[in-house]
């Protein structure tokens, strides 16, 4: 990647982060309330928690799980980042940013949700800046992965994929900004982020599908099919709505996020053992 392309990426990230900061400060995120409405104590009471000298750590098991996922995901990226080659380098960036996103998500979805959503705003807000920043990091991560995949192609497709990644980052920042300003809950949701990133996944899967006669791309194709299964399992668990009844009847806390995080842990470990940091530049 030439110097111009690197500067374009850095400028895109800078613009995206600036937009995020401006929209968050001007927006009305705190006006979107939980449904049903909750106080901080309501939110704490609906799941296990620990009092750490006046600091409430919510969902201790889920917090441990998501932080472990973040650590493992970042660790998965290190051998790729150290390996030679364009694709390896961007795979490493993807996994490290993905891991940072998981840690960021855990701060609000699990560990300190009541403090971040409720203390200065009761009844509690539905989301907050920490969760929204996690989504931005996820968009950066998946687009870094798309840039890595561009290394499997030749110009002009390679250049188009890289430009698409930059446009994707800026577009998501604008959609998310609209969601903050008006506000529009769906545009700030995890579900919208997945729908938005579906195009990236389709592009990457199609590249591997067309090249699956090559052993590496056959592995990548199967790995992406498993990734779809992981996300499908999350939505099955979400719509099943079993978490609160299970906790109330047995005292066991295990919700849809735990399902997702355990399966993602398995998927990350599969990736790093199944798809080695080989010379990806020969994977045409």
């Amino acid at each position: 990647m030439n110097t111009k392309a690197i500067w374009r990426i850095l400028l895109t990230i800078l613009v995206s982060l600036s937009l995020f900061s401006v929209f968050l400060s001007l927006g009305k995120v705190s006006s979107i309330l939980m449904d049903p409405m909750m106080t901080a104590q309501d939110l704490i009471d609906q799941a296990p928690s620990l009092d750490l000298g006046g600091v409430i750590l919510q969902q201790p098991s889920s917090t441990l799980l998501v932080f472990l996922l973040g650590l493992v995901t970042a660790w998965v990226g290190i051998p790729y980042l150290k390996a030679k080659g364009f694709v390896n380098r961007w795979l490493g960036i993807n996994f490290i940013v993905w891991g940072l996103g998981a840690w960021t998500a855990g701060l609000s979805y699990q560990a300190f949700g009541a403090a971040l959503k409720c203390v200065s705003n009761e009844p509690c807000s539905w989301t907050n800046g920490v969760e929204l920043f996690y989504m931005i990091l996820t968009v950066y991560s998946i687009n870094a992965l798309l840039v890595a995949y561009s290394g499997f192609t030749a110009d002009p497709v390679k250049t188009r994929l890289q430009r698409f990644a930059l446009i994707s980052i800026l577009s998501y920042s604008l959609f998310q900004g609209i969601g903050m300003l008006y506000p529009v809950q769906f545009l700030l949701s995890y579900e919208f982020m997945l729908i938005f990133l579906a195009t990236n996944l389709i592009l990457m899967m199609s590249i591997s599908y067309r090249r699956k006669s090559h052993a590496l791309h056959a592995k990548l194709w199967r790995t992406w099919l498993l990734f779809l299964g992981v996300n499908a399992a999350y939505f099955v668990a979400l719509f099943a709505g079993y978490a609160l009844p299970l906790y109330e009847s047995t005292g066991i806390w295990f919700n849809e996020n735990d399902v997702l995080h355990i399966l993602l842990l398995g998927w990350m470990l599969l990736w790093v053992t199944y798809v080695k940091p080989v010379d990806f530049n020969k994977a045409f």
Side-chain angles (χ1 to χ4, degrees):
M1 182 173 283
N2 59 39
T3 305
K4 268 188 185 179
I6 292 171
W7 277 110
R8 279 197 295 268
I9 291 169
L10 293 174
L11 180 60
T12 300
I13 298 298
L14 178 61
V15 171
S16 170
L17 291 174
S18 299
L19 288 173
F20 178 82
S21 298
V22 170
F23 286 135
L24 185 62
S25 62
L26 296 177
K28 302 174 182 177
V29 175
S30 62
S31 69
I32 307 175
L33 303 179
M34 289 186 175
D35 184 18
M37 289 191 290
M38 291 188 183
T39 65
Q41 194 59 51
D42 292 334
L43 191 59
I44 291 168
D45 289 343
Q46 72 172 4
S49 62
L50 291 175
D51 189 336
L52 304 176
V55 177
I56 303 299
L57 175 68
Q58 295 174 255
Q59 304 179 36
S61 60
S62 298
T63 297
L64 179 63
L65 191 56
V66 71
F67 286 169
L68 177 62
L69 173 62
L71 182 65
V72 169
T73 304
W75 169 78
V76 166
I78 292 172
Y80 296 99
L81 201 59
K82 288 181 176 179
K84 294 179 180 179
F86 176 90
V87 177
N88 279 321
R89 188 180 314 119
W90 281 97
L91 277 174
I93 292 170
N94 153 64
F95 284 118
I96 288 171
V97 177
W98 197 337
L100 290 173
W103 289 329
T104 305
L107 292 175
S108 184
Y109 286 112
Q110 281 83 29
F112 307 115
L116 291 168
K117 296 180 180 180
C118 312
V119 169
S120 61
N121 186 68
E122 287 195 336
C124 302
S125 300
W126 173 73
T127 191
N128 59 76
V130 175
E131 292 178 3
L132 298 176
F133 186 62
Y134 142 71
M135 293 181 193
I136 281 283
L137 287 176
T138 302
V139 170
Y140 293 169
S141 165
I142 299 303
N143 278 291
L145 188 53
L146 183 61
V147 171
Y149 254 77
S150 75
F152 297 138
T153 65
D155 279 328
V157 175
K158 182 176 183 177
T159 301
R160 288 172 183 166
L161 287 174
Q162 291 174 11
R163 287 176 178 170
F164 179 88
L166 300 183
I167 292 168
S168 174
I169 289 171
L170 293 176
S171 298
Y172 183 80
S173 296
L174 289 173
F175 278 120
Q176 192 184 54
I178 292 169
M180 294 182 204
L181 287 174
Y182 281 97
V184 182
Q185 181 172 322
F186 177 65
L187 294 179
L188 305 179
S189 67
Y190 177 77
E191 290 77 13
F192 173 75
M193 182 190 70
L194 288 183
I195 293 169
F196 181 86
L197 292 174
T199 303
N200 297 59
L201 184 58
I202 290 168
L203 286 170
M204 292 184 289
M205 290 186 71
S206 64
I207 289 170
S208 284
Y209 180 78
R210 288 198 300 268
R211 292 165 172 78
K212 63 188 174 80
S213 58
H214 190 290
L216 174 62
H217 280 287
K219 288 181 179 181
L220 289 170
W221 168 250
R222 289 190 286 269
T223 303
W224 283 121
L225 289 177
L226 284 173
F227 184 76
L228 292 179
V230 166
N231 282 277
Y234 164 78
F235 282 104
V236 169
L238 175 66
F239 291 119
Y242 70 87
L244 282 178
L246 176 67
Y247 179 59
E248 290 168 355
S249 61
T250 67
I252 297 172
W253 177 256
F254 189 79
N255 68 358
E256 64 277 358
N257 289 321
D258 297 321
V259 171
L260 177 64
H261 296 153
I262 286 174
L263 292 177
L264 275 176
L265 265 172
W267 187 82
M268 293 294 174
L269 293 172
L270 171 68
W271 180 292
V272 76
T273 55
Y274 190 52
V275 187
K276 298 288 186 182
V278 296
D279 184 3
F280 280 88
N281 293 323
K282 294 180 180 177
F284 285 90

